[in-house]
Amino acid sequence: MNIKEMQDEIMRIKKEKDICILAHAYQSHDIWEVADYVGDSFGLAQRAAEAPQKTMIMCGVRFMAETVKLLSPEKTVYLPEPDAGCPMADQIDYDLLAALREKNPGYTVVAYVNTTTEVKTLSDVCVTSSSAVKIVKNMPEKDILFIPDCNLGDWVSKQIPDKTFKLLSGGCPTHARMSAEDVKKAKAAHPNALFLVHPECKPEVVELADYVGSTTGIMNYAKESDAKEFIIGTENSIVTHLQMECPDKMFYPLSKDCVCHNMKATTLTDVLNCCKGIGGLEINLDEDTRTKAKHCIDEMIRLG
């Protein structure tokens, strides 16, 4: 089968079996084209909760599929590539967070959504890259233990100087590959381009940006801007998607090495096999764990 034939078969099966396909923005464009919704991880989980279909296929990494199940326990949720994990989410587990809480009494745990369900059960508030500043500003607590991404935590802390932050040494290895030297080289090569960056990048990279925001925020900024050239400081699939959606503009990757191999693990064949029922991993969460983990997400929604 070629790509078009595989896509046609996926579209036929998902209609026949009442399947909703969710695709994170870092997925390849051939997967985007068969998805019902494309976006950031938490936004997709919200879409899944609102969708009429009872079966969800989350094309992304495991914590994203878990978040879909957290918000939609009555639905069947699949991760099409079982080995697609998130190195950042795996940097902190339940036992480590329990020890950190004991070591830092009085601190409120703010967990990036890029964490496992078990870690969320011990967290007070969940945040996304787009909501983190607003949520933490709205929290009455002043002492914040931000996990696991120190780069996102640093960016948030600089915008809320009246609060005390403790950060871990964790973060996204894909975004951490990019350096200030990469920025200087890219700006020298493309002097008229605006630099758009994800806050998971190192502080020395973020401070050189013309715009800092989530993946969806970066894409929307580029689409709506009057500028014609952009250097993209996030996973390189976004460069491809923007080139296809905005053919009148130019997009350049900050680094050829900004590739998430876990996101690239999911293929169109994986999606097809999952639709057929011969592949993928069903996500199951016991109700006690799900309820405890959902608390920090409910707090995020309550706070903004």
Side-chain angles (χ1 to χ4, degrees):
M1 299 176 79
N2 60 33
I3 291 175
K4 179 64 166 59
E5 290 169 339
M6 291 176 70
Q7 289 177 322
D8 287 345
E9 183 67 357
I10 289 169
M11 298 298 282
R12 182 190 70 78
I13 295 173
K14 76 171 187 175
K15 184 176 181 180
E16 177 186 290
K17 294 187 175 181
D18 198 32
I19 295 170
C20 177
I21 296 177
L22 312 165
H24 188 269
Y26 295 163
Q27 295 291 296
S28 58
H29 212 83
D30 56 354
I31 292 176
W32 271 39
E33 290 172 346
V34 297
D36 296 276
Y37 304 106
V38 175
D40 288 329
S41 61
F42 186 68
L44 290 172
Q46 290 178 303
R47 288 282 198 173
E50 298 165 355
Q53 296 94 331
K54 297 302 181 185
T55 299
M56 302 288 141
I57 295 178
M58 176 67 234
C59 303
V61 295
R62 180 164 185 138
F63 84 81
M64 298 177 185
E66 289 181 355
T67 306
V68 172
K69 189 68 175 179
L70 280 175
L71 298 191
S72 302
E74 77 286 0
K75 297 186 178 184
T76 303
V77 180
Y78 289 99
L79 180 67
E81 171 45 69
D83 290 333
C86 174
M88 173 162 50
D90 292 339
Q91 288 166 358
I92 182 168
D93 60 18
Y94 184 95
D95 291 340
L96 176 56
L97 181 53
L100 287 168
R101 290 194 70 116
E102 187 174 344
K103 187 178 178 180
N104 297 280
Y107 275 75
T108 299
V109 175
V110 176
Y112 193 15
V113 71
N114 297 36
T115 44
T116 66
T117 299
E118 280 198 338
V119 166
K120 288 183 176 73
T121 65
L122 269 185
S123 302
D124 298 302
V125 183
C126 189
V127 295
T128 66
S129 55
S130 61
S131 71
V133 172
K134 181 179 181 181
I135 299 303
V136 178
K137 275 185 177 179
N138 287 345
M139 292 170 56
E141 295 87 355
K142 296 296 184 183
D143 296 327
I144 308 298
L145 176 61
F146 194 98
I147 63 166
D149 189 348
C150 62
N151 294 327
L152 177 61
D154 178 81
W155 180 67
V156 173
S157 69
K158 286 174 179 173
Q159 297 175 72
I160 314 175
D162 60 319
K163 297 196 177 189
T164 301
F165 284 76
K166 285 192 176 182
L167 309 176
L168 300 187
S169 59
C172 172
T174 299
H175 286 89
R177 291 190 193 112
M178 295 181 283
S179 66
E181 187 61 30
D182 290 327
V183 181
K184 292 172 185 175
K185 288 180 180 178
K187 287 192 170 186
H190 310 289
N192 296 320
L194 295 180
F195 176 39
L196 316 183
V197 72
H198 197 287
E200 288 178 14
C201 289
K202 295 175 182 176
E204 58 266 32
V205 172
V206 172
E207 65 187 19
L208 296 173
D210 297 292
Y211 171 82
V212 183
S214 66
T215 304
T216 300
I218 287 172
M219 295 190 74
N220 289 339
Y221 185 95
K223 291 175 188 177
E224 296 166 7
S225 173
D226 292 331
K228 294 297 182 181
E229 295 183 65
F230 304 88
I231 299 163
I232 304 300
T234 190
E235 215 278 341
N236 284 346
S237 57
I238 300 305
V239 175
T240 302
H241 299 319
L242 283 170
Q243 286 171 335
M244 298 184 78
E245 295 192 19
C246 306
D248 59 323
K249 298 180 179 182
M250 299 295 291
F251 300 93
Y252 314 108
L254 175 58
S255 167
K256 63 182 175 62
D257 295 321
C258 192
V259 176
C260 177
H261 300 293
N262 279 277
M263 282 292 188
K264 294 297 183 286
T266 302
T267 67
L268 193 65
T269 302
D270 293 327
V271 180
L272 176 57
N273 288 339
C274 196
C275 287
K276 288 180 175 179
I278 59 173
L281 171 72
E282 182 177 354
I283 302 298
N284 290 299
L285 302 173
D286 68 81
E287 186 59 18
D288 182 60
T289 299
R290 190 195 73 83
T291 302
K292 289 177 180 176
K294 189 172 178 288
H295 171 75
C296 67
I297 291 176
D298 291 339
E299 278 297 285
M300 173 174 65
I301 294 170
R302 185 183 71 81
L303 290 164

